[in-house]
Amino acid sequence: MNHWIIAPVILPALLAPLIGYVMRHDMPLSRVFSMAGTVALVAIALGLFGIAADGTTHVYRLGDWPAPFGIVLVLDRLSALMVLLTSVLALIVLMHAIATGWDARGRHFHALFQFQLMGICGAFLTGDIFNLFVFFEVLLIASYGLMIHAGGRARMRAGLQYVVINLAGSTLFLFALGTLYAGTGTLNIADLAVRLAEIPESESAIVRVAAMLLMIVFAVKAALFPVQFWLPGTYANAPAPVAALFAIMTKVGAYAIIRVHTIVFGPDIAATEGMSGLWLFPAAIVTIAVGAFGVLGARRLMPLIAFSVLGSMGTLMIAVSAFTPEATTAALYYLVHSTFAAAALFLMADLVITRREDDVLSGMPPTVQNGLFAALFFAAAIGMAGMPPLSGFLGKLLVLDALRAPGEIGWAWTAVLAGSLLTIVGFARAGSTLFWKSTAVAIPEPGPEEVPAPEEGPHEKTPSIAHHAPVTAMEAAPSMAALAALAALAALAGPAASYFEATSAQLFDRSSYVDSVLTEDPAALLEAVKADDGHGSEEGGSDGDGEPTGDGEYGVDDHGEPVGDAATEEGH
Amino acid sequence: MELLVATAIGALTAGGVYLILRLRAFPVIIGLALLSYAVNVFIFSSGRLAINLPPILAKYGDASYTDPLPQALVLTAIVISFGMTAVLVMVALGSYLETGTDEVDIHPAGHDASNEDAAQ
Amino acid sequence: MERRGVGAQTREMTPLPPLAGVAWLMLMVATGAVVVMHRNRFRALVLIGIIGLMISSGFVYLSAPDLALTQISVETVTIMLLLLALHYLPKTTPRESSAGLRLRDGAIALASGVGVAALSYAFMLRDGSTISDYHLANSYKGGGGTNVVNVILVDFRGYDTYGEIIVLGIAGLIIYALMETLLKGPAGQRLRNTDYSRDRSRDRHPLMMVVATRVMMPIAVMVGVYIFLRGHNQPGGGFVAGLVISIALLMQYMASGFAWTQARKKIEYHAMIGWGVVIAGLTGAGAWLAGVPFLTSAFGYVHIPPIEEFELATAAIFDLGVFLTVLGAVMLMLYSLSRIARYSGESVNVDPMDYDPADRVTDTEKGGA
């Protein structure tokens, strides 16, 4: 058993309290440790990526308990990919936060950041559905802290809304888990898959409700229509580096749908057959539309980017909703792409906004390095909107190519293409207002698309001259690194696509997942435990009902489930 | 007994949902508390009901016990929702002190102006 | 979703004693009352307390002593924190939704309530096989404890518990960070300019309460230690113990005042959370030294002659981590709320009692404002 599998969870979990409690008054030291931890996380993730690349599914049994009874971590190509993506994104975001000084604008940034990484990695690695809930909560509560980092009026309001929506979502998650446990009696994902396959269609109502509830829960995280409304407000008001990190948070929802609704409620399971895609597909189409019109209507830069993220989630989920290996390959490619594209946009926007009064899209005196910012902005926008030569184009092409089923081709193609067009228009208009109009007018004049600036934007007004200084190499490097990731994804499209193909092939090979996790038959394990009563010293005695038994101490009734007996005994 | 538990869960859920829809910080906090009671009993009931069979192993012999796993899950859920409630209370308090209103606005950015007056 | 059916009913209803009916009635009435009277926020909190109490007694009756213990102690701490926070929030909710909106929300609420009730009723009357037979069978042999729920928490599913205390630790951190940010910003000014003095009692720290809480302190601590130690075999454990001790400390803060108690506190709460999380993590990681996976527990039985044979388990150290995190997180929340209080102009008391009979100096000005 490879102990490195749990390292992406334990490393930040041990580092965060150290940073939070020992070094909380020492910013340079926190920065060094946080940075070192994130670099180490990237190295570990690369190592795990290498381990998983050969296609075997590695299982880590926590507490050394056999599979369905204890909690297991599962490392396959998909989880290794997601952990690697998380760690690389985290490194980029952390560099930006340190270089721009965002981390010093409130308390405990680095501790919360590390806890956030722990939660995300834990969610990607776990093979137990209740444990998935626990790590969702870890990553959510850390995100609440990061969301309201540095405070401010608009951010506190948006933060309250974000917390309330996610608490309601968590409650729904628990309802879903209760239903699932009532219907199947297990929590391990592989064991769930086995038991669901055994449920006859005539008795499938309870697990179908569970599948539906879980879908809604994950859809909240992935910001799918009609539960997408939290995303624009949250992303637009979060501190920019945090918004960039949140690019992976929506992907946690997407990952959970891919994982759970492929392996547990897969397309070929009689009890829930075909149900997942049926709901997901129209929701994804509407999400694209909401995102695209949001981009077109946005009057400020941060909401504009937030809506474009929403649109990209729609495109991603359209591909997921097909639940075929080809479409999942495309979805994975687009997932990696859209994570970096969103991060690049948010980080870049942060550089621009701190050099302007606020993020309202209106003409303004040119800032320093206008040309550089314009170039960066358009590069990131091209990536997000899906134009060549960056990876967004290839991503959308793959998605369209995979959706050729008669029922979906018309809707999907129209939505993706029209959505892309609107997004391009929105970005082009915003970019020209921001960078070219600004060079033309010296004083902002009230034009038709001019809107009165809100009294207080989500960003701190930092009128100090220091913020009008040109960007340093350290400040620009993270945004450029995110863009470079997009370029690399495009340049290495061949190898990447074949890796994603292998990943989705492994994902759809459900029986190999189940066999790797459940190495021994659960029923046989249970029998073995009952047969082996190690302590023979205190034999005899009687239980509450006065039945003499000789089965050794602390025995459990061998006949049937304890629960069933409980009920019948009480009935007498 | 089952009917009682089921109706209690239903009533708590309905009350919680209604209060959350009030979209004011305090009713939302109370509503989420009701909902978390409801979901705790709900998960607990997924282990089916049993009377006088606590999952504490008897010293001698065979005995039957109620399902311990949902109880452990509920314990985890209680602790997590306690931490979440504490954070929610503080964020609500912070939002109230910053903005002067305890409304939970579910409309995205841009509607701040309407509540300015209430703030002062 | 009923179109595929749920199969035949396989369980009889469990019998219904009259007392359970009474508790159910109280629960339903209290829930209805909360919804009707939620605008009066103080009253709503009291009613929430009733609901929590009824749920706890339901857990006792339905074979879940651990749940009952936890529910009732969480209840106490949550209500205390809510009461403190309510001091700074508006005391009433304005009536602002139109009748139509309320009707719509009521319909949504009713639909979800009926749905959830039907769902739970459906599965409660049907049997299913669960994986927990293994936990029951293996709890003593493999986990070294007879309280199966606690063994699941610290051993079979210890990883969940690890995540759970991290949630609590993060909650403590966020609340502290939020306080710092708030008090520095415009919210701090608003606090200083708001007059809270009309709500204040003349005798904030009554003599009786100070004396009573001090007498209760060692007893409460002993109960906490007892609950902690028995956790592996009987209802209890680190979480409940942490809450019991934090309630004991909260009582000191309430009775004798923040400053007086704070001055007598030896360990910083930040450090307590940190130690808790690190201890739990290192206990888990210690298993690596033996070449076994994270959180693998070990236990043995020790016999020192005058004492009866007792058990030592690594799970107990893990539970200690849980205990410290819970205690630290609750106290840090209280500390943050008290900082708001002082910021809003609450006076700081030096002496534990407003009228100390031992102090014969007739200093009527004591206590300041």
Side-chain angles (χ1 to χ4, degrees):
Chain A
M1 208 175 292
N2 191 334
H3 293 300
W4 286 108
I5 295 176
I6 199 174
V9 180
I10 298 303
L11 174 74
L14 288 179
L15 197 58
L18 281 183
I19 295 173
Y21 309 109
V22 182
M23 314 170 198
R24 72 192 140 103
H25 299 302
D26 192 344
M27 187 47 98
L29 200 62
S30 322
R31 284 178 173 173
V32 168
F33 269 76
S34 190
M35 200 54 165
T38 313
V39 169
L41 189 65
V42 173
I44 292 169
L46 274 173
L48 292 180
F49 192 76
I51 292 173
D54 65 350
T56 45
T57 306
H58 299 262
V59 178
Y60 189 75
R61 291 188 180 77
L62 288 153
D64 219 6
W65 296 107
F69 309 116
I71 297 172
V72 292
L73 300 188
V74 179
L75 179 79
D76 57 3
R77 285 200 184 101
L78 180 60
S79 45
L81 171 73
M82 298 307 289
V83 170
L84 183 63
L85 180 64
T86 309
S87 62
V88 173
L89 178 74
L91 189 60
I92 292 175
V93 170
L94 188 63
M95 271 158 49
H96 183 93
I98 292 177
T100 53
W102 264 105
D103 58 345
R105 294 194 203 174
R107 300 299 296 268
H108 289 320
F109 179 86
H110 291 290
L112 290 172
F113 189 85
Q114 293 296 329
F115 274 131
Q116 173 86 78
L117 293 185
M118 174 213 174
I120 297 174
C121 291
F124 286 145
L125 283 169
T126 188
D128 186 284
I129 194 111
F130 192 80
N131 193 243
L132 183 67
F133 164 76
V134 172
F135 277 91
F136 262 43
E137 297 305 296
V138 172
L139 71 88
L140 280 176
I141 197 165
S143 78
Y144 303 156
L146 288 175
M147 166 76 205
I148 54 174
H149 176 75
R153 189 193 189 99
R155 189 170 299 142
M156 286 307 297
R157 284 196 77 144
L160 179 61
Q161 177 207 325
Y162 177 66
V163 174
V164 167
I165 286 163
N166 276 301
L167 282 185
S170 301
T171 312
L172 199 60
F173 201 162
L174 284 175
F175 274 117
L177 292 180
T179 315
L180 198 58
Y181 183 79
T184 60
T186 189
L187 297 164
N188 182 287
I189 291 179
D191 200 28
L192 278 172
V194 174
R195 295 204 183 198
L196 262 146
E198 291 164 357
I199 292 179
E201 222 177 305
S202 59
E203 294 174 17
S204 63
I206 287 178
V207 288
R208 288 175 67 84
V209 173
M212 202 57 232
L213 288 176
L214 276 179
M215 176 68 90
I216 299 172
V217 172
F218 298 148
V220 173
K221 304 284 182 289
L224 271 181
F225 181 85
V227 278
Q228 91 296 347
F229 50 82
W230 61 271
L231 187 140
T234 304
Y235 280 40
N237 290 302
V242 174
L245 182 68
F246 280 9
I248 193 79
M249 299 268 288
T250 41
K251 273 60 175 191
V252 179
Y255 164 85
I257 291 182
I258 294 175
R259 176 71 84 192
V260 172
H261 287 264
T262 306
I263 290 179
V264 178
F265 309 112
D268 49 345
I269 298 252
T272 57
E273 151 266 324
M275 200 179 98
S276 322
L278 201 68
W279 292 91
L280 213 47
F281 185 71
I285 300 265
V286 182
T287 310
I288 294 184
V290 173
F293 285 112
V295 168
L296 216 52
R299 293 156 174 179
R300 303 204 334 244
L301 185 53
M302 290 292 275
L304 177 103
I305 301 172
F307 274 110
S308 74
V309 172
L310 195 60
S312 76
M313 284 314 290
T315 312
L316 169 60
M317 295 317 290
I318 272 198
V320 171
S321 73
F323 289 105
T324 61
E326 302 80 50
T328 305
T329 307
L332 290 176
Y333 187 91
Y334 196 75
L335 187 152
V336 176
H337 152 77
S338 62
T339 306
F340 284 118
L345 275 171
F346 278 121
L347 296 182
M348 205 283 315
D350 185 41
L351 296 180
V352 176
I353 293 167
T354 46
R355 280 164 186 79
R356 295 164 60 96
E357 291 285 306
D358 50 43
D359 70 338
V360 175
L361 295 175
S362 60
M364 249 186 218
T367 57
V368 285
Q369 293 168 310
N370 203 32
L372 172 70
F373 287 135
L376 280 176
F377 178 82
F378 278 104
I382 282 170
M384 181 52 100
M387 286 198 295
L390 290 181
S391 51
F393 180 68
L394 291 170
K396 283 193 175 164
L397 218 56
L398 278 172
V399 171
L400 292 180
D401 190 47
L403 297 172
R404 288 180 177 280
E408 57 197 22
I409 184 163
W411 283 103
W413 281 54
T414 316
V416 172
L417 292 176
S420 303
L421 186 68
L422 292 181
T423 310
I424 291 168
V425 172
F427 270 111
R429 212 174 60 183
S432 62
T433 316
L434 271 179
F435 300 110
W436 292 327
K437 211 169 172 183
S438 60
T439 41
V441 287
I443 313 155
E445 53 182 348
E449 58 219 284
E450 193 80 11
V451 286
E455 283 183 9
E456 196 177 344
H459 288 271
E460 285 69 29
K461 283 178 191 164
T462 33
S464 66
I465 300 142
H467 278 273
H468 292 288
V471 283
T472 59
M474 282 302 287
E475 284 175 331
S479 321
M480 291 187 175
L483 284 176
L486 292 184
L489 200 59
L492 302 173
S498 63
Y499 182 85
F500 295 139
E501 213 173 300
T503 307
S504 72
Q506 187 184 20
L507 183 69
F508 278 85
D509 186 5
R510 299 170 53 236
S511 60
S512 98
Y513 179 92
V514 169
D515 292 343
S516 312
V517 176
L518 305 175
T519 41
E520 288 161 88
D521 180 35
L525 279 169
L526 182 59
E527 286 312 307
V529 170
K530 285 184 178 174
D532 161 49
D533 52 349
H535 308 260
S537 53
E538 293 171 288
E539 280 197 318
S542 60
D543 67 6
D545 292 347
E547 283 174 17
T549 50
D551 257 335
E553 51 182 341
Y554 302 117
V556 179
D557 197 342
D558 275 9
H559 323 290
E561 311 81 42
V563 174
D565 289 3
T568 42
E569 273 170 33
E570 268 314 311
H572 294 162
Chain B
M1 195 73 206
E2 271 80 359
L3 196 62
L4 257 60
V5 173
T7 45
I9 296 172
L12 287 170
T13 312
V17 170
Y18 181 79
L19 288 181
I20 289 174
L21 291 174
R22 299 298 95 219
L23 295 181
R24 281 256 176 190
F26 193 80
V28 165
I29 293 170
I30 297 280
L32 281 170
L34 288 185
L35 260 191
S36 77
Y37 286 141
V39 80
N40 288 343
V41 181
F42 183 82
I43 298 182
F44 171 73
S45 73
S46 75
R48 291 17 173 216
L49 305 185
I51 296 165
N52 271 332
L53 299 165
I56 292 163
L57 300 181
K59 190 85 177 163
Y60 302 108
D62 288 349
S64 33
Y65 308 99
T66 187
D67 190 344
L69 194 53
Q71 296 193 18
L73 302 186
V74 174
L75 276 178
T76 307
I78 290 180
V79 179
I80 288 177
S81 78
F82 168 65
M84 292 290 176
T85 308
V87 169
L88 172 65
V89 168
M90 290 296 172
V91 173
L93 186 55
S95 170
Y96 172 68
L97 292 177
E98 284 273 355
T99 62
T101 166
D102 66 343
E103 274 180 51
V104 181
D105 199 348
I106 58 161
H107 304 289
H111 289 255
D112 295 13
S114 57
N115 302 312
E116 297 289 280
D117 326 83
Q120 308 311 324
Chain C
M1 295 272 67
E2 292 294 318
R3 62 202 147 122
R4 303 235 187 154
V6 287
Q9 176 179 334
T10 56
R11 285 173 67 94
E12 294 293 313
M13 288 252 232
T14 43
L16 169 65
L19 200 60
V22 174
W24 173 82
L25 202 65
M26 280 178 74
L27 177 82
M28 297 300 265
V29 170
T31 311
V34 168
V35 173
V36 175
M37 299 195 235
H38 75 270
R39 276 183 206 85
N40 184 331
R41 297 180 166 189
F42 187 73
R43 203 177 294 160
L45 270 186
V46 175
L47 288 167
I48 285 280
I50 296 178
I51 298 175
L53 198 61
M54 287 308 113
I55 290 181
S56 306
S57 40
F59 282 146
V60 174
Y61 182 67
L62 294 169
S63 322
D66 270 293
L67 282 184
L69 259 179
T70 313
Q71 179 77 57
I72 206 154
S73 38
V74 165
E75 190 68 37
T76 315
V77 177
T78 312
I79 299 249
M80 276 189 192
L81 289 176
L82 274 175
L83 275 175
L84 286 173
L86 186 58
H87 185 59
Y88 305 99
L89 285 170
K91 304 290 175 292
T92 53
T93 311
R95 180 186 291 267
E96 52 189 1
S97 335
S98 64
L101 199 64
R102 282 206 299 269
L103 205 65
R104 187 206 69 181
D105 293 349
I108 297 175
L110 211 61
S112 46
V114 168
V116 170
L119 189 60
S120 65
Y121 188 67
F123 65 62
M124 270 191 281
L125 291 178
R126 276 155 194 88
D127 275 314
S129 72
T130 75
I131 53 171
S132 55
D133 295 353
Y134 181 89
H135 298 133
L136 285 166
N138 215 357
S139 167
Y140 186 72
K141 285 174 210 155
T146 55
N147 180 3
V148 187
V149 174
N150 185 272
V151 176
I152 291 178
L153 279 177
V154 297
D155 203 332
F156 291 106
R157 300 187 69 86
Y159 190 53
D160 277 350
T161 309
Y162 184 55
E164 153 200 323
I165 61 169
I166 289 208
V167 167
L168 275 188
I170 301 174
L173 273 190
I174 292 179
I175 289 169
Y176 182 80
L178 184 60
M179 254 351 87
E180 292 271 310
T181 313
L182 280 182
L183 296 185
K184 276 184 200 143
Q189 289 162 12
R190 185 190 297 273
L191 261 176
R192 250 175 301 187
N193 294 332
T194 313
D195 181 25
Y196 288 103
S197 59
R198 62 189 176 328
D199 303 334
R200 199 171 295 154
S201 160
R202 299 280 298 220
D203 191 7
R204 289 191 298 155
H205 305 297
L207 169 72
M208 288 297 282
M209 196 161 154
V210 176
V211 175
T213 51
R214 277 194 219 163
V215 174
M216 278 165 74
M217 176 79 180
I219 303 172
V221 170
M222 197 182 71
V223 169
V225 172
Y226 173 68
I227 286 178
F228 177 79
L229 289 178
R230 80 204 284 256
H232 218 41
N233 294 317
Q234 293 291 317
F239 181 71
V240 181
L243 284 177
V244 167
I245 297 213
S246 57
I247 292 172
L249 288 176
L250 277 174
M251 287 194 309
Q252 304 303 313
Y253 278 102
M254 285 196 320
S256 303
F258 184 79
W260 183 85
T261 317
Q262 192 70 8
R264 280 151 187 80
K265 179 198 74 162
K266 294 286 187 290
I267 312 162
E268 220 189 332
Y269 299 128
H270 260 91
M272 215 182 265
I273 301 179
W275 276 112
V277 173
V278 168
I279 286 178
L282 288 182
T283 311
W288 289 338
L289 297 178
V292 284
F294 188 71
L295 283 174
T296 305
S297 71
F299 60 95
Y301 296 87
V302 183
H303 188 78
I304 303 168
I307 317 169
E308 212 184 332
E309 187 182 69
F310 61 96
E311 183 190 357
L312 284 178
T314 54
I317 310 177
F318 183 75
D319 226 11
L320 180 69
V322 176
F323 169 82
L324 287 176
T325 314
V326 171
L327 185 55
V330 173
M331 298 318 290
L332 197 61
M333 289 166 199
L334 173 86
Y335 172 75
S336 304
L337 276 169
S338 305
R339 282 199 42 178
I340 299 193
R342 270 186 294 169
Y343 223 77
S344 69
E346 192 88 32
S347 61
V348 174
N349 62 322
V350 189
D351 296 315
M353 298 167 221
D354 288 344
Y355 304 103
D356 189 347
D359 185 9
R360 289 302 175 93
V361 183
T362 49
D363 184 3
T364 44
E365 287 302 300
K366 193 187 315 177

